[in-house]
Amino acid sequence: MPGLDTSIDTLTETQRAASPSLWWDGLLRPDPEPPLETTITADYAIVGGGYTGLWTAYFLKRKQPNADVVLIEAQYIGYGASGRNGGWLMGTLEGLAAFADNKGTLPATARVQLNTLVSRAGQVLATEGINCDFHHGGCVMAAARNASQIARAHETLAHFQRLGFSEDDYRWLTPKALTARVQVANPGGAVFTPHVGRVQPAKLVTGLARVVKALGVRVFEHTRANNISPGHIDCDRGSVSANQIVIATEGYSEVGNPLHRRIIPVQTGMVVTEPLNDEQWSDIGFHDNETFADFTRAATYLQRTADQRLVIGARGNYLPGGRPQHALADTTLIAQYRQRIALDLFPQLRGVRFTHNWGGSVGVPRSWHPHVIYDPFSRIGTAGGYIGEGVGASFLFGETLAALLTGESSELSKMPWVQQRALAELRRWEPEPFPQLGLKATMLAFDAEEWLLNRYGESLPARAMGWLCDQLDPH
Ligand SMILES: Cc1cc2nc3c(=O)[nH]c(=O)nc-3n(C[C@H](O)[C@H](O)[C@H](O)COP(=O)(O)OP(=O)(O)OC[C@H]3O[C@@H](n4cnc5c(N)ncnc54)[C@H](O)[C@@H]3O)c2cc1C
């Protein structure tokens, strides 16, 4: 926007703090916004200062520059998953098959939205001067650690083809082509997609917050919404009356929030190496800063950062009672497991120092696919249930929510992930401890299968355990 100066130099006072998370360690942060301490009114009130809340605020102001938009955040901007994630900005959604038509194909309009998402987000970041190390290098999903991953890789490719994606969107890389990109141990081939970009998550969330504030959005930090009802939000020391409300609290929706037990938090986390030198990078690849995963069932996600480190995210757990992870540092043994995965995939890293380890919560809906919901009667909307794939999706869903709230006639409102109904109709999870037991049993089965495969290869016990994992795997 002409005349909009959001560069870091304009900050009057800044904070730099050491952090267990690489993303926040030493990052310049603006002064905190004051908490809400009075009763105010607004056209639109947004609860939650992560990507979903901020992109919704951004698109609302772009559509209606004079609208009065208020955003309240219980802690600080980027406190939730948006400041903690692996930085894969993906042009896809988890659980896509749920949005297919009765022939099993994703509507062409939906495919276009997803296939253009990364470049559209990249354009907005460039136009708004949000420097978050964005790089559109695609993603390599490799069959690497055992032979069964090759079958899973082929099945994944077939899945995208059935949905209607083309060879330009998802294509096979032979082991040789895989090695030309990433020198992983045991290359068995890979699926490559151009529809993923890399970002530095905390730079994205703080940069986006600077932009929305400059557009006139009033942001209140350290302001928790205690009660949300149609047209009204009660906070500790103030309240907001608004024509329309958006709940953007995702995996951090706790007791008292209408999304509590409708979106449950599952933890995941990351470790990161010290900066690697050119020689080390020439040994492991990532020459186009592509993101990387292998076909383990427990999910791995890696990126090469702008400051030349390798970030390795993997594996989840579940806190008793279904609580979200507030602490940034991940003190569990899983952090060590993530280092082991890194060394399994890249033995070249042996001897390299790991400098940070942190984690957070992803939001999981009972349906196992994300949603944009808008209830025209209560005038409350929400978006989320991303299951760990919300960095790109929140851009699309924020724009969609803004179209729904402003009543704009838009193709976005007709996407299969959009539902016009009451939030209360979003299915609740079973009471505890059933979700916890289910997740633990699933993770144990995944571990057992991997152990059997690594030890005995494609043996009968490994296949039997694979069958059990297929039954437990929600996808
Ligand atoms: C370790 C990790 C790695 C991940 N990696 C990736 C990845 O590589 N790619 C990808 O696409 N996705 C990834 N994800 C998921 C992604 O980060 C999320 O899907 C996305 O950030 C969700 O954004 P959000 O704004 O909806 O929610 P959040 O960023 O979680 O924001 C919700 C906010 O709401 C606030 N809040 C909660 N309750 C209240 C209240 N009552 N009042 C006021 N504020 C409240 C919270 O404090 C929080 O700041 C990862 C997540 C984690 C934890």
Side-chain angles (χ1 to χ4, degrees):
M1 180 189 172
L4 181 69
D5 186 356
T6 56
S7 69
I8 220 118
D9 298 334
T10 61
L11 302 172
T12 48
E13 253 179 70
T14 54
Q15 312 171 332
R16 273 180 197 269
S19 168
S21 157
L22 172 70
W23 308 136
W24 292 104
D25 197 0
L27 189 76
L28 282 167
R29 295 201 209 182
D31 289 342
E33 294 298 328
L36 178 65
E37 296 190 318
T38 56
T39 297
I40 58 170
T41 59
D43 297 319
Y44 304 102
I46 298 168
V47 182
Y51 302 139
T52 303
L54 289 165
W55 280 123
T56 306
Y58 172 81
F59 284 109
L60 280 171
K61 286 300 273 186
R62 281 286 174 229
K63 288 177 196 304
Q64 294 185 344
N66 295 325
D68 187 3
V69 182
V70 163
L71 185 149
I72 62 173
E73 162 55 49
Q75 306 283 344
Y76 54 84
I77 292 294
Y79 171 84
S82 300
R84 306 177 184 224
N85 62 74
W88 285 34
L89 195 155
M90 305 163 75
T92 188
L93 303 174
E94 180 64 37
L96 265 191
F99 306 121
D101 58 22
N102 51 15
K103 294 196 199 90
T105 312
L106 197 61
T109 49
R111 274 181 276 133
V112 170
Q113 285 299 330
L114 295 174
N115 289 343
T116 56
L117 194 161
V118 180
S119 23
R120 283 186 292 125
Q123 272 159 19
V124 172
L125 297 175
T127 311
E128 300 294 359
I130 299 174
N131 175 9
C132 57
D133 304 338
F134 172 75
H135 178 82
H136 193 164
C139 179
V140 174
M141 296 171 271
R145 278 184 288 156
N146 50 56
S148 80
Q149 291 198 358
I150 298 177
R152 272 212 289 283
H154 282 294
E155 172 46 32
T156 299
L157 188 58
H159 163 75
F160 282 112
Q161 286 165 349
R162 281 195 298 274
L163 287 169
F165 290 97
S166 75
E167 177 85 354
D168 290 339
D169 303 318
Y170 295 88
R171 68 171 183 272
W172 183 250
L173 296 183
T174 61
K176 193 169 164 212
L178 161 60
T179 306
R181 283 182 174 272
V182 179
Q183 280 108 62
V184 65
N186 302 320
V191 177
F192 177 78
T193 175
H195 303 312
V196 180
R198 169 208 75 185
V199 294
Q200 203 281 33
K203 285 187 183 175
L204 170 56
V205 77
T206 51
L208 183 55
R210 279 201 303 278
V211 169
V212 303
K213 284 189 265 181
L215 287 170
V217 174
R218 288 185 287 162
V219 174
F220 297 93
E221 291 181 296
H222 299 286
T223 300
R224 176 172 295 278
N226 291 327
N227 186 47
I228 303 171
S229 55
H232 197 77
I233 303 170
D234 278 321
C235 310
D236 284 338
R237 281 172 288 165
S239 65
V240 190
S241 292
N243 293 337
Q244 316 227 42
I245 291 175
V246 170
I247 308 178
T249 48
E250 236 261 324
Y252 285 81
S253 306
E254 296 183 85
V255 180
N257 184 321
L259 297 178
H260 182 238
R261 299 305 301 168
R262 293 189 161 87
I263 308 275
I264 56 171
V266 173
Q267 278 54 252
T268 175
M270 349 220 12
V271 293
V272 60
T273 68
E274 61 189 327
L276 305 179
N277 60 35
D278 290 350
E279 203 179 319
Q280 289 168 309
W281 280 115
S282 75
D283 273 355
I284 59 174
F286 291 82
H287 305 301
D288 192 20
N289 293 301
E290 44 277 86
T291 53
F292 176 89
D294 80 330
F295 275 98
T296 172
R297 292 187 198 259
T300 55
Y301 44 99
L302 288 78
Q303 70 144 289
R304 177 178 182 171
T305 64
D307 69 343
Q308 306 307 330
R309 299 162 184 264
L310 189 64
V311 174
I312 304 104
R315 180 66 192 266
N317 68 330
Y318 193 83
L319 294 179
R323 288 177 283 115
Q325 180 176 338
H326 285 284
L328 203 45
D330 186 345
T331 50
T332 66
L333 289 176
I334 302 177
Q336 286 168 27
Y337 167 87
R338 292 181 187 119
Q339 295 186 17
R340 268 210 317 280
I341 289 188
L343 297 175
D344 280 358
L345 291 168
F346 300 105
Q348 308 91 307
L349 291 177
R350 220 159 283 284
V352 159
R353 212 162 50 88
F354 289 86
T355 57
H356 299 71
N357 106 65
W358 69 98
S361 300
V362 306
V364 181
R366 189 63 186 82
S367 63
W368 286 95
H369 55 76
H371 51 253
V372 178
I373 299 180
Y374 177 67
D375 176 5
F377 297 104
S378 67
R379 297 155 81 85
I380 297 180
T382 188
Y386 301 118
I387 319 175
E389 299 194 358
V391 179
S394 55
F395 172 84
L396 176 63
F397 285 12
E399 187 173 9
T400 307
L401 271 175
L404 288 161
L405 293 164
T406 55
E408 179 190 284
S409 156
S410 158
E411 197 168 71
L412 291 175
S413 335
K414 300 183 194 115
M415 289 295 124
W417 38 82
V418 176
Q419 306 162 27
Q420 302 228 14
R421 61 174 181 154
L423 266 59
E425 288 174 37
L426 197 57
R427 193 172 155 200
R428 294 178 76 89
W429 276 89
E430 290 75 5
E432 296 296 338
F434 295 109
Q436 181 181 4
L437 293 176
L439 192 102
K440 293 266 181 227
T442 307
M443 292 314 296
L444 275 174
F446 287 2
D447 285 348
E449 184 201 20
E450 202 144 299
W451 185 83
L452 288 166
L453 283 165
N454 293 341
R455 177 114 193 183
Y456 302 111
E458 281 286 345
S459 54
L460 189 62
R463 276 205 295 277
M465 192 51 80
W467 177 86
L468 180 64
C469 291
D470 285 342
Q471 310 312 304
L472 291 168
D473 196 333
H475 308 112

